[in-house]
Amino acid sequence: MDNPCLYKWSDAVDYIYQTVHVDDGAGICSSREIADEFMQEFLQHVRKAVLFHEVKLYLGMDIERSEDGTMFRVSQARYIQEKFGDHKRIFRTPMAKTTNLRVAEPNINNDSLLPITGKLRYLADRTRPDILVATGEVSTGGAESPSDEHCEVAERVQHYLIHTIERALLLGGRGPIVLFGYCDAAYISVGKSKSRLGSCLFLNYDSGAISCVSKNDTTISHSSTEAEIKAIDMLCREIESVRSILKFLGQEQLEPTKIYVDNKSAMELCKTLKVRNSVKHINVRINYIRELINARVIELVFVPSKYNVADVLTKPLAEDDHNRHSQVLMEGHTNNEDGILMTIESYEYYINMIEAEEFLNNNTTEITPMIICDKN
């Protein structure tokens, strides 16, 4: 057992992998006969248990399996309809790009938003990571005397959910398990000046994200670079945990896990041995990241902000950017019309070629190409 909620059993032929959540469990096994044999033994130790061979509903999430068995569609459309079905206005993003709840003034005449944010959090943490930023911002300052702006955003998110009710997480895929992720930070210097940190992890290019985080920093950052380093640090700890679980499941990651970052200054600080007075207060974080780089646990890779999927987990975006990142976040890279995967790989290759040419020509001019590639 590698995780208190994850178990496995196997012999030379058969296997069982089991997860547990309070009094519910979900798992996979090599055959129905093995599942039935497991249940017979399990019933000797509990009062009552029911085995469902085909999982269609788990912890309030509707689960559909593709015909070839390689993909799972996980949604909460029924819950959204039940809780917010009377919200019919059309909003294509959960939060306007120009909205800043950090400077909103409390209004003692407004009721607490806790009943609403609890429902939104239930969705955001399971199948709708596209509302994580809006949910987090509404929750910050929405518990007591929320501002009029807080109430407006909370209402808007509910309309947005109904308008996008068919959205779902696509999990699975045919490709090998290769862990990689994105991280980003929104440096905030006004109002409550604690930056928002975001990260997401993918198991392959076909699947949506298996882990999404969007949270307010616990301390104020002195620069955007410091905020980015905190985001990298946060994702590194998640990666260590997931790599350990994958090893337990027989999918050990032998190569470094790539982390796509859009801040070159943060990358440089983590890769070099230079220690500056301006960052000495975060040296522990930098040394931790550098240690993982040297141990080949992670690899930092630059990606333009336009293609940093974690951008949607740190700030409200314009409609096109929000939809592009949300689609990759929930449906994976190969299901995205923009060809995000090919863009990242081509960008990496092109940047390496440019750097080599600059070195040979002793030319240090910074070049920032923009590459759009079709996924086919």
Side-chain angles (χ1 to χ4, degrees):
M1 182 179 71
D2 186 74
N3 183 287
C5 297
L6 176 63
Y7 303 83
K8 74 173 182 179
W9 170 87
S10 63
D11 58 17
V13 178
D14 296 307
Y15 60 84
I16 299 174
Y17 294 93
Q18 181 74 37
T19 63
V20 178
H21 184 274
V22 191
D23 58 351
D24 290 310
I28 59 173
C29 61
S30 53
S31 68
R32 289 204 171 194
E33 291 75 16
I34 291 296
D36 292 333
E37 184 179 333
F38 167 77
M39 280 301 297
Q40 291 177 8
E41 177 64 27
F42 185 65
L43 286 170
Q44 303 299 316
H45 306 278
V46 298
R47 294 181 181 179
K48 182 181 179 181
V50 179
L51 173 65
F52 298 94
H53 286 288
E54 186 72 19
V55 179
K56 296 184 178 181
L57 180 67
Y58 185 63
L59 303 178
M61 297 179 288
D62 294 305
I63 301 174
E64 302 174 36
R65 186 168 62 170
S66 63
E67 291 185 3
D68 61 5
T70 62
M71 297 295 293
F72 291 87
R73 186 178 188 275
V74 186
S75 70
Q76 290 174 281
R78 287 191 294 179
Y79 181 84
I80 293 173
Q81 183 62 45
E82 176 188 344
K83 300 300 181 182
F84 313 123
D86 57 341
H87 292 72
K88 303 298 184 181
R89 295 172 61 191
I90 297 177
F91 286 103
R92 292 182 171 84
T93 60
M95 189 174 177
K97 182 181 179 180
T98 56
T99 302
N100 184 1
L101 298 184
R102 305 297 181 97
V103 296
E105 295 293 332
N107 186 341
I108 60 174
N109 296 317
N110 290 332
D111 295 331
S112 171
L113 293 175
L114 282 178
I116 297 174
T117 55
K119 296 181 180 70
L120 298 181
R121 178 59 64 184
Y122 178 69
L123 292 164
D125 290 341
R126 286 164 175 77
T127 63
R128 295 302 300 264
D130 54 327
I131 66 168
L132 270 169
V133 169
T135 301
E137 291 298 298
V138 170
S139 300
T140 303
E144 296 182 4
S145 302
S147 69
D148 294 339
E149 291 84 353
H150 278 77
C151 296
E152 290 172 5
V153 173
E155 187 73 11
R156 177 179 175 131
V157 177
Q158 296 172 73
H159 288 288
Y160 168 79
L161 285 169
I162 288 294
H163 181 65
T164 58
I165 194 170
E166 296 302 322
R167 286 193 176 178
L169 274 177
L170 297 183
L171 302 175
R174 293 180 175 276
I177 292 179
V178 179
L179 187 67
F180 66 96
Y182 300 80
C183 68
D184 192 26
Y187 175 60
I188 298 172
S189 58
V190 297
K192 298 177 181 178
S193 305
K194 293 181 179 179
S195 302
R196 179 162 287 278
L197 313 178
S199 67
C200 51
L201 276 177
F202 297 81
L203 285 178
N204 58 42
Y205 300 126
D206 300 334
S207 176
I210 62 163
S211 171
C212 296
V213 177
S214 177
K215 60 181 291 187
N216 280 333
D217 195 1
T218 55
T219 58
I220 295 175
S221 296
H222 294 79
S223 66
S224 59
T225 297
E226 179 179 339
E228 294 281 354
I229 287 175
K230 290 178 179 178
I232 298 172
D233 171 77
M234 178 180 71
L235 181 56
C236 283
R237 284 179 280 174
E238 178 73 2
I239 285 173
E240 285 202 285
S241 174
V242 174
R243 284 174 66 101
S244 178
I245 291 174
L246 290 176
K247 182 178 180 180
F248 173 75
L249 295 175
Q251 298 291 333
E252 183 176 5
Q253 300 294 286
L254 300 178
E255 295 297 320
T257 297
K258 289 186 177 181
I259 299 178
Y260 292 102
V261 185
D262 60 11
N263 188 297
K264 289 186 176 181
S265 298
M267 293 175 59
E268 190 65 23
L269 281 172
C270 294
K271 288 181 177 180
T272 64
L273 294 175
K274 296 179 181 178
V275 178
R276 304 171 184 171
N277 288 334
S278 59
V279 295
K280 61 185 179 182
H281 59 293
I282 54 172
N283 274 347
V284 172
R285 295 179 190 269
I286 294 173
N287 288 333
Y288 166 65
I289 297 168
R290 186 182 299 125
E291 183 179 76
L292 294 184
I293 293 173
N294 293 336
R296 291 180 52 78
V297 174
I298 66 164
E299 177 186 354
L300 301 183
V301 180
F302 178 75
V303 65
S305 296
K306 180 178 179 180
Y307 301 116
N308 188 346
V309 181
D311 203 31
V312 75
L313 299 173
T314 61
K315 62 181 77 68
L317 301 174
E319 181 182 342
D320 289 346
D321 292 332
H322 174 83
N323 289 336
R324 181 177 64 254
H325 291 320
S326 295
Q327 186 176 356
V328 177
L329 197 67
M330 300 180 68
E331 299 179 11
H333 294 69
T334 56
N335 296 296
N336 187 272
E337 295 178 357
D338 242 7
I340 301 296
L341 169 61
M342 288 302 295
T343 302
I344 291 173
E345 291 184 341
S346 300
Y347 187 88
E348 283 186 55
Y349 175 79
Y350 194 39
I351 285 294
N352 290 336
M353 293 297 292
I354 289 174
E355 290 178 346
E357 183 177 352
E358 287 180 352
F359 177 78
L360 292 175
N361 297 332
N362 196 25
N363 181 0
T364 59
T365 302
E366 183 177 352
I367 302 176
T368 307
M370 186 57 66
I371 305 171
I372 303 295
C373 300
D374 183 80
K375 66 180 179 182
N376 297 319

